[in-house]
Amino acid sequence: MEHLSDEQVFEDALKVFKASMDGKEPTMLPKVAAYRVANWSKDRLSQGSWSYVATGGTIRDIQRIASGLPERHIFFAGEYTIAAELGTVHGAYMSGLRAADQAMDAV
């Protein structure tokens, strides 16, 4: 996807989302007002990265991020939100499932 424009990435993501709704228009969700596409291969500052608990940090910090802000319908996914799978693809996958469940519970 790195060769696509930000607009193409957004449109593709929207198509996947709509497909997950069995073709029904998600009327309960507001129209997307803005979006940002991250492309690490074009970001001179990322140069590859990994997650870690900062000095003085605890597992509780990870749990706090993972809980999101449900009252504002904001949920976080990413391998950095799964303490047992920190820094792994599996952690990223599992966090996506968790965040999707949180979002569905909030609707």
Side-chain angles (χ1 to χ4, degrees):
M1 298 197 75
E2 294 179 349
H3 66 282
L4 300 176
S5 70
D6 288 359
E7 293 79 18
Q8 289 171 309
V9 171
F10 172 73
E11 289 300 324
D12 284 353
L14 200 54
K15 285 178 190 173
V16 170
F17 175 73
K18 286 181 178 181
S20 74
M21 303 292 287
D22 294 326
K24 298 175 187 162
E25 194 64 29
T27 56
M28 73 284 204
L29 299 175
K31 184 174 175 152
V32 175
Y35 64 90
R36 181 174 184 275
V37 175
N39 187 331
W40 286 14
S41 69
K42 293 180 182 176
D43 182 349
R44 67 180 183 82
L45 299 177
S46 70
Q47 299 177 6
S49 66
W50 59 90
S51 297
Y52 62 92
V53 178
T55 302
T58 67
I59 297 300
R60 179 90 177 105
D61 297 323
I62 295 169
Q63 293 167 337
R64 204 167 321 151
I65 294 169
S67 65
L69 301 168
E71 67 282 356
R72 295 183 64 194
H73 299 274
I74 297 174
F75 307 97
F76 299 103
E79 43 76 33
Y80 59 92
T81 67
I82 302 285
E85 300 286 346
L86 199 64
T88 68
V89 172
H90 184 70
Y93 173 75
M94 296 301 294
S95 73
L97 295 176
R98 186 207 59 244
D101 284 342
Q102 289 170 317
M104 292 303 292
D105 288 345
V107 175

